[in-house]
Amino acid sequence: ALATGDRDKLVQLSVSQLGLCNDKMRARVWPVLMNVDHLEDEDNVPTDEQVQKHPEYNQVVLDVNRSLKRFPPCIGEEERPLLQEQLTRLIIRVIITHPHLHYYQGYHDVAITFLLVVGEHLGYHIVERLSVSHLKEFMAPTMEPTSKLLQYMYPIIRQRNSDLHSHMVRAEVGTIFALPWLITWFGHVLPDYNDVVRLYDFFLAQPPMMPVYLATAIVLYRQQEILEAECEMSSIHGLLSQIPQDLPFEKLLVESQILYEYYPPHSVKVEAETGAVPSSYSSVANNFSTSVTKFIIYTAPVFLGIIIFKYYFQS
């Protein structure tokens, strides 16, 4: 697929069970998924002086210095200072290239993943492209656009489990529990490096909203725990803020594709933005049976991934 430039096949591999399997494969496939050429020019590399004089430099350095836990065990202590220097330069370079973008705490969690897998050169080009597409709402002057994206969770939850939706609304839990999930692509909240890169395989082959759908799938997966918790904000927020380490991510990635297929962003946009429940919505989606769900889970994850990928990039 790499030799022939078969992007559809690479999407299949990225969304299929276990994804791209190892970082050697990711280093070759991730740039292709983001239309990055290995021979991209290096004309706009900032000097050390330009990096250090940037208004965001001090905050970036503080965050990068706190990123030690993101390094996998195979990265030795002696290698980390150089990687932190590269990470700082990569981040500042993106912001210099796109002055309208604003650095946010958590951006370094995304950038470090690409640095570790593909290196500084390709990492910059991938992160730069993501910053004007998948991450652009997070890099607005305020968090308002990000908060609006998180609100898309509630209409989907309501249509899949009205009792769970009512419980969460009564508790006034909101969506802040999912903020670090979304803005770091789960990189900040998952301790296992292999889980993080697996999710990145998936997200790179999907539309920008897919992390919201994965967050929703996780909430729905934990519905019993949530319903058994006290209907009070701090109780449910505390529960959801801690992601279990044994989540079945492969199953959840498939479920997130199913949610996207049945409740695409445009179909829940009005409810997400206004809170008003539409007077009517698809009974097919509401009555989506468990047996059909199981059938799709085990027979069509790759197919759904390709359909969603094509729909997004052709729209």
Side-chain angles (χ1 to χ4, degrees):
L2 283 166
T4 61
D6 188 343
R7 193 178 200 169
D8 285 350
K9 184 64 176 177
L10 295 177
V11 170
Q12 288 182 44
L13 291 171
S14 299
V15 303
S16 63
Q17 189 164 359
L18 303 180
L20 298 174
C21 296
N22 62 68
D23 283 359
K24 287 185 178 180
M25 181 63 72
R26 292 184 177 100
R28 300 179 66 194
V29 174
W30 284 4
V32 177
L33 293 176
M34 290 305 299
N35 291 315
V36 168
D37 191 322
H38 284 70
L39 300 177
E40 295 276 359
D41 66 75
E42 291 294 306
D43 292 340
N44 64 338
V45 179
T47 64
D48 289 345
E49 183 179 7
Q50 287 175 307
V51 170
Q52 293 167 11
K53 285 187 175 181
H54 193 278
E56 298 281 11
Y57 174 75
N58 289 333
Q59 183 60 59
V60 172
V61 169
L62 284 173
D63 291 341
V64 167
N65 288 341
R66 288 195 290 259
S67 66
L68 291 177
K69 74 181 185 68
R70 288 297 318 282
F71 289 109
C74 61
I75 302 294
E77 291 286 343
E78 68 283 356
E79 299 175 79
R80 295 181 181 185
L82 176 59
L83 287 169
Q84 289 176 307
E85 179 184 328
Q86 292 175 339
L87 179 59
T88 300
R89 183 167 54 241
L90 185 160
I91 291 169
I92 296 297
R93 185 179 172 191
V94 172
I95 300 171
I96 289 175
T97 304
H98 299 285
H100 66 286
L101 299 179
H102 297 261
Y103 174 77
Y104 64 89
Q105 289 181 282
Y107 185 74
H108 67 291
D109 284 297
V110 177
I112 194 174
T113 305
F114 293 102
L115 175 66
L116 291 171
V117 173
V118 303
E120 183 180 2
H121 169 60
L122 288 174
Y124 160 73
H125 290 289
I126 292 175
V127 174
E128 184 265 333
R129 296 197 180 191
L130 282 174
S131 298
V132 294
S133 56
H134 295 59
L135 308 178
K136 65 180 180 180
E137 279 82 5
F138 314 151
M139 305 189 78
T142 71
M143 292 301 291
E144 184 179 356
T146 303
S147 298
K148 288 182 177 179
L149 289 182
L150 286 167
Q151 289 300 325
Y152 279 69
M153 297 171 63
Y154 273 85
I156 302 169
I157 293 170
R158 180 184 64 77
Q159 294 186 63
R160 289 306 290 265
N161 188 325
S162 59
D163 290 340
L164 176 63
H165 178 268
S166 297
H167 191 69
M168 293 177 68
V169 170
R170 285 198 306 272
E172 299 182 339
V173 70
T175 58
I176 195 68
F177 65 86
L179 179 63
W181 306 358
L182 184 63
I183 65 175
T184 71
W185 275 12
F186 293 82
H188 185 73
V189 295
L190 296 178
D192 190 329
Y193 171 81
N194 292 315
D195 286 338
V196 174
V197 290
R198 168 64 188 111
L199 295 190
Y200 279 46
D201 291 342
F202 182 78
F203 292 148
L204 287 173
Q206 299 290 340
M209 284 287 288
M210 195 55 78
V212 176
Y213 283 76
L214 176 58
T216 308
I218 290 173
V219 172
L220 289 166
Y221 177 77
R222 303 185 68 192
Q223 57 188 276
Q224 195 59 43
E225 293 177 77
I226 299 168
L227 288 170
E228 290 175 356
E230 182 182 357
C231 188
E232 188 268 332
M233 191 275 284
S234 61
S235 296
I236 298 178
H237 176 81
L239 172 67
L240 287 171
S241 295
Q242 303 298 318
I243 292 187
Q245 302 309 305
D246 59 349
L247 285 178
F249 276 113
E250 294 303 324
K251 177 181 178 181
L252 290 169
L253 293 181
V254 173
E255 180 63 21
S256 66
Q257 291 180 85
I258 294 170
L259 293 176
Y260 195 101
E261 180 78 3
Y262 275 82
Y263 314 106
H266 69 82
S267 73
V268 296
K269 185 175 187 289
V270 172
E271 185 176 349
E273 293 182 351
T274 67
V277 177
S279 56
S280 63
Y281 49 87
S282 172
S283 60
V284 173
N286 267 316
N287 296 321
F288 188 49
S289 69
T290 302
S291 60
V292 173
T293 300
K294 287 181 178 178
F295 174 79
I296 294 176
I297 283 176
Y298 290 108
T299 62
V302 171
F303 174 75
L304 281 175
I306 294 173
I307 294 298
I308 293 169
F309 182 83
K310 286 185 171 180
Y311 171 81
Y312 170 68
F313 280 100
Q314 290 174 2
S315 62

